[in-house]
Amino acid sequence: MAEVEVSEARMGVTVRDVAAYEFIVGYAHHLKKSRKFVLPKWVDLVKTGVRKELAPYDPDWYYIRAASVARKIYLHKGLGIGGLRLWYGGRHRRGTLPETFAKAAGGILRHIVKQLESMKVVEINEKGGRVITRIGQQELDLIASQV
């Protein structure tokens, strides 16, 4: 029994071990505190997809989306903008017409991924999509262990 506890303590905590909501809130707070991650000017005006009528109400929504994108890329290596658009898309209610699926806005996701690349958290994969860098993995695991 004591042997198992010692081995778990040595291995450390990763993003997979922490609840998604707790990690995303913790990493969003970290991004907000850091000077490297800058909000664009249009963040309070933009919608997150065609299917939305208004911009998000939460003033920190951009940090939360960025933390969620970083977690998604951490968990699913090789995930690109198209896959992220599908993940964050949803039901498009079209009035009297039948509802359909609508993708999320790609420009927002591209901007977030570019900023994560400039912070050296994410890099382009040779096979396509993005992967977490070693520095990014260490940073995300550190935040996960603090949560």
Side-chain angles (χ1 to χ4, degrees), residues 4-19:
V4 173
E5 293 174 10
V6 171
S7 64
E8 287 179 354
R10 286 183 192 159
M11 290 174 53
V13 178
T14 65
V15 175
R16 294 182 191 277
D17 301 332
V18 180

Side-chain angles (χ1 to χ4, degrees), residues 93-139:
R93 296 175 58 189
R94 305 184 300 163
T96 58
L97 297 174
E99 61 190 36
T100 60
F101 181 81
K103 293 180 181 179
I108 297 170
L109 295 170
R110 254 189 301 285
H111 194 268
I112 288 172
V113 169
K114 289 291 183 189
Q115 282 199 323
L116 290 174
E117 283 178 4
S118 70
M119 293 172 58
K120 306 232 187 307
V121 174
V122 173
E123 67 184 1
I124 296 175
N125 191 4
E126 304 113 17
K127 297 179 182 178
R130 304 293 198 283
V131 291
I132 288 287
T133 61
R134 184 179 186 137
I135 296 168
Q137 184 176 358
Q138 290 173 350
E139 183 178 330

Side-chain angles (χ1 to χ4, degrees), residues 13-31 63-64 66-75 121 132 136-147:
V13 178
T14 65
V15 175
R16 294 182 191 277
D17 301 332
V18 180
Y21 178 77
E22 294 173 4
F23 172 76
I24 289 171
V25 169
Y27 192 56
H29 183 68
H30 171 74
L31 288 175
Y63 297 112
I64 293 170
S68 177
V69 166
R71 181 181 178 274
K72 280 287 167 213
I73 294 173
Y74 181 99
L75 296 176
V121 174
I132 288 287
Q137 184 176 358
Q138 290 173 350
E139 183 178 330
L140 294 177
D141 288 342
L142 178 69
I143 298 297
S145 66
Q146 291 174 356
V147 170

Side-chain angles (χ1 to χ4, degrees), residues 43-58:
V43 76
D44 58 339
L45 304 173
V46 71
K47 300 187 319 180
T48 57
V50 173
R51 63 192 179 90
K52 297 289 189 173
E53 292 184 10
L54 298 171
Y57 291 126
D58 186 7

